[in-house]
């Protein structure tokens, strides 16, 4: 629903600003940065493993999806809370802000794009998956989609953890 998509976009935006600020502060402390990298990489690997074990979804009756005005507000707030407190989303943002998005201009652009992309992708997927043909296709292709998604997430976790692994090998190569 649109209220849920808007809530998720708002919550993701809030979380991205918090994580961006935290990673900026973390750069001053190598220990904090290493800890954040390790936690984010482990959470991403956990998500990849969960994707591999997930079962196909059931089809939903569209008539059961109608919302009252009160339910729309509750759905919006649930979307904000879900995205803003989601450790998996936090791990994703941490991986981006600790990895590829290191300069200030790129970070600012990314923070500006988060609400737009979250809302656009949510509405697009919601619209597409509201169609019976797309629902059947999603169920048929569920396994290859989740395996590919798990592989991409595992690669992102590995890239995020590489500085930790390189730092560990550097420590081992120096005499004590």
């Amino acid at each position: 629903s649109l209220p849920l998509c808007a809530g998720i976009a708002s919550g993701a935006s809030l979380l991205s600003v918090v994580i961006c600020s935290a990673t900026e502060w973390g750069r001053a402390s190598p220990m904090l940065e290493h800890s954040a990298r390790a936690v984010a990489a482990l959470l991403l690997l956990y998500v990849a493993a969960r994707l591999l074990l997930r079962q196909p979804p059931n089809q939903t009756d569209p008539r059961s999806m109608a919302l009252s005005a009160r339910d729309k507000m509750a759905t919006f707030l649930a979307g904000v809370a879900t995205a803003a407190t989601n450790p998996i989303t936090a791990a994703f943002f941490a991986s981006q802000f600790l990895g590829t998005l290191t300069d200030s201009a790129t970070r600012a652009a990314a923070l500006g794009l988060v609400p737009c992309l979250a809302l656009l992708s949510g509405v697009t997927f919601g619209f597409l998956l509201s169609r019976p043909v797309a629902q059947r296709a999603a169920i048929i292709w569920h396994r290859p989609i989740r395996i590919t998604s798990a592989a991409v997430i595992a690669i992102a976790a590995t890239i995020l953890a590489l500085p930790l692994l390189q730092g560990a090998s550097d420590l081992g190569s120096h005499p004590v």
Side-chain angles (χ1 to χ4, degrees), residues 80-146:
V80 171
T82 299
T85 61
N86 188 336
I88 297 163
T89 306
F92 170 76
F93 286 132
S95 71
Q96 298 307 305
F97 293 127
L98 288 168
T100 57
L101 303 175
T102 55
D103 66 274
S104 298
T106 307
R107 284 175 174 238
L111 289 173
L113 289 173
V114 165
C116 302
L117 293 175
L119 185 60
L120 181 63
S121 61
V123 169
T124 301
F125 283 120
F127 174 76
L128 291 175
L129 292 174
S130 69
R131 307 293 179 235
V133 172
Q135 290 173 358
R136 287 190 297 274
I139 290 171
I140 291 168
W141 285 91
H142 183 261
R143 182 181 168 103
I145 290 169
R146 70 183 166 80

Side-chain angles (χ1 to χ4, degrees), residues 7-8 11-16 18-19 39-40 43-44 46-47 54 77-94:
I8 290 171
S13 299
L14 174 66
L15 185 60
S16 67
V18 169
I19 296 296
V39 169
L43 279 169
L44 289 174
Y46 172 76
V47 171
R54 181 165 234 159
L77 294 174
V80 171
T82 299
T85 61
N86 188 336
I88 297 163
T89 306
F92 170 76
F93 286 132

Side-chain angles (χ1 to χ4, degrees), residues 21-74:
S21 299
T23 57
E24 194 61 38
W25 296 326
R27 291 193 189 284
S29 167
M31 184 176 165
L32 184 59
E33 182 179 351
H34 289 292
S35 298
R37 281 183 184 277
V39 169
L42 289 173
L43 279 169
L44 289 174
L45 288 173
Y46 172 76
V47 171
R50 291 290 305 218
L51 277 172
L52 290 175
L53 301 173
R54 181 165 234 159
Q55 297 298 315
N58 297 325
Q59 287 187 325
T60 305
D61 180 9
R63 292 173 291 188
S64 67
M65 302 302 285
L67 297 174
S68 68
R70 183 175 179 212
D71 289 341
K72 288 178 184 177
M73 179 55 79

